Amino acid sequence: MLKRKNAEDEINLAQANLNSVENRKEVFPGALQEDNKVTLDKLMTGYSKVQIEDPIRPFYEDNLQKIVNNVDYGILKVLQGTWVSYNNSAQSQRKLNGTGIHTTIMPSPGTNAGTIPGKYSFECQEYIEKLTFDLVPGGVRNRGGANEQFCGAVKYDQSIKSVTTVEGQEALQYTPIHEENGMYLWLSDVFNYAATEKTIKDDRGVHAVSPTNPNKDLYKSGYQDETLFLILNDLGQKEYVTQENLNGRKYYEIIAAKELKVGAGQTGQYFIPDYSISRSGVIPHGSTITLLGDLVRNNAGKKDKKFLFEGPPPFPEGDAAWKYDHLSLSKTMGGAGASEKDPINLDKPAPDWVFEKLNDINDFGENKIYTQRILADPLYPYSVRPDLRLRDTNKGDNIINYVLIEMSSKNKTGAQGGILNVPFVNRFVPTVEMNTRMWIETVLEDGKEILQLQYEQVIFFEFDFGDDGGTTSWPHIQVNTLRKIEDVPLDQKRLIEEQFPDSKKYESSASASGCPYHKE
């Protein structure tokens, strides 16, 4: 979990009553050129990693509205607004306005799980996209007893259309292929909420000590709020004492306290969330996702910029690009007869065998035939490693710095996310894992600082089996480069407004809700 370094930044009691919408405007386009410090630089120098010995803030009911007005959104605050596909025309080798690349692998018609292994349908398409983020005023309050958490919540709505050519037609065809909505959460702002006299009386739910209780005089408050210990006193008699009177003596029985004392919960091991960011999403195919993740740390030794990377994101070239975590084919598919030690260079033309008719001689073991069509796709090499499109889009851009977010539904350590599927999907094409990377970048263009968003999503399906009975993982990948709608060229803005008619409404429409922080 990350926290704001300056406690006054976390809850500035003198200014916390400013309208939350006004607070949002301070960090979004229009404010980017107000000083010489880049937005991401300025934002990320204000955060540090939480340690167990770090001070934790107390929660008081009379400060509730001030906390609500100053909820932390972390890096998510810069996402506010509408992002659309950005086509770097100077670097693009294609005239299509589709900036995104998606690869999809589906079971071939007539197949079913466990029979006819290796039969699958493959598609690789370019696409355009509108992705809207909207901060939820007031945050969302999670109650955990001695700990309170206020999540910075950001709603998102995503629409995608494929871009294809139609034989004999000059006009491009735009087809809706994906809709998704959900919520990002910045999992910060954890408070200590100790028991008070009011909360004890309001929430007690237990009776006062019975007048017939032989130890009633030991409960000074009139409620059973002390733990009693049975000892042998100096006279050799059995006697119950409170903890403050135990004095290290050996005890034989314990009567546990049934009620809290004022201040209970002030001490103890405080909760530090495993991750700083979560994403919950609903996909109309019948899948619901929960991803957990964090900002990637920069280990360059720059104390004040350890979550900020200088320069553009590093993407591999040549042989180094053959990494299965980012390929649209997996080792369980045969790996095209290649490996990371013996790769296919994706910056060179596809191997000759890709365009040959395969048989038992040039494809012994039927290894290459599973992946031949992927390497033969017109969008090669992006059909094999889609994020190379992100790399090529950035060429020629002056990217000053970036922040990298990595999230997964199946983390190696800590809390887990997950994916739930409707019965049809779960039976025929179970979606089992999703991993995503998001780069939020600062681009210097024509003397102006522009935020750019790039992402890679790798989703794994499992269907059919290999000849040896093993399960096959089939990667479904999406990548795209986005900019705020006000920062794209006019022709691209017109295209988005034409294909996504409501995309002009990129100002926040969220209104505050009482439910995040009221009991009712």
Side-chain angles (χ1 to χ4, degrees), residues 227-261:
T227 298
L228 305 184
F229 300 85
L230 181 65
I231 63 165
L232 292 178
N233 60 24
D234 295 339
L235 301 177
Q237 299 171 331
K238 292 182 178 181
E239 177 185 1
Y240 281 100
V241 298
T242 60
Q243 186 173 17
E244 62 181 344
N245 296 311
L246 185 59
N247 296 326
R249 289 179 288 189
K250 188 176 182 180
Y251 55 90
Y252 302 92
E253 288 179 358
I254 301 172
I255 298 178
K258 293 176 63 179
E259 186 51 87
L260 296 170
K261 293 176 68 70

Side-chain angles (χ1 to χ4, degrees), residues 262-276:
V262 173
Q266 287 174 328
T267 60
Q269 190 166 356
Y270 302 122
F271 173 68
I272 299 178
D274 303 78
Y275 301 100
S276 298

Side-chain angles (χ1 to χ4, degrees), residues 295-410:
L295 298 175
V296 176
R297 301 184 74 171
N298 179 1
N299 296 320
K302 297 182 180 180
K303 184 177 180 181
D304 293 333
K305 298 181 180 180
K306 57 187 177 182
F307 298 103
L308 185 70
F309 293 81
E310 301 294 335
F315 289 100
E317 303 273 350
D319 288 347
W322 195 264
K323 298 292 184 183
Y324 282 103
D325 286 348
H326 307 285
L327 301 183
S328 59
L329 51 91
S330 72
K331 288 183 283 188
T332 63
M333 298 163 62
S339 67
E340 294 182 7
K341 292 183 178 179
D342 183 21
I344 294 174
N345 189 328
L346 296 174
D347 285 315
K348 294 182 179 180
D352 292 340
W353 63 262
V354 171
F355 307 100
E356 297 175 356
K357 186 172 182 178
L358 300 177
N359 52 48
D360 288 341
I361 297 175
N362 59 5
D363 185 22
F364 180 77
E366 300 181 2
N367 200 345
K368 299 175 182 177
I369 195 169
Y370 289 117
T371 51
Q372 184 184 41
R373 77 199 78 168
I374 297 177
L375 279 78
D377 191 273
L379 288 174
Y380 175 91
Y382 308 137
S383 61
V384 181
R385 178 159 178 165
D387 70 336
L388 295 185
R389 181 65 172 265
L390 305 180
R391 178 198 69 181
D392 294 345
T393 297
N394 287 346
K395 288 181 178 178
D397 283 343
N398 184 11
I399 298 179
I400 301 172
N401 55 36
Y402 68 94
V403 171
L404 173 59
I405 300 171
E406 290 186 346
M407 308 182 73
S408 178
S409 67
K410 191 179 289 186

Side-chain angles (χ1 to χ4, degrees), residues 79-120:
L79 297 177
Q80 169 75 11
T82 293
W83 299 75
V84 299
S85 292
Y86 167 68
N87 188 18
N88 188 339
S89 302
Q91 302 302 321
S92 177
Q93 296 179 356
R94 296 179 173 82
K95 295 182 180 180
L96 288 182
N97 288 313
T99 61
I101 295 285
H102 85 91
T103 66
T104 303
I105 297 178
M106 287 287 111
S108 181
T111 64
N112 59 74
T115 65
I116 319 297
K119 295 289 184 183
Y120 65 91

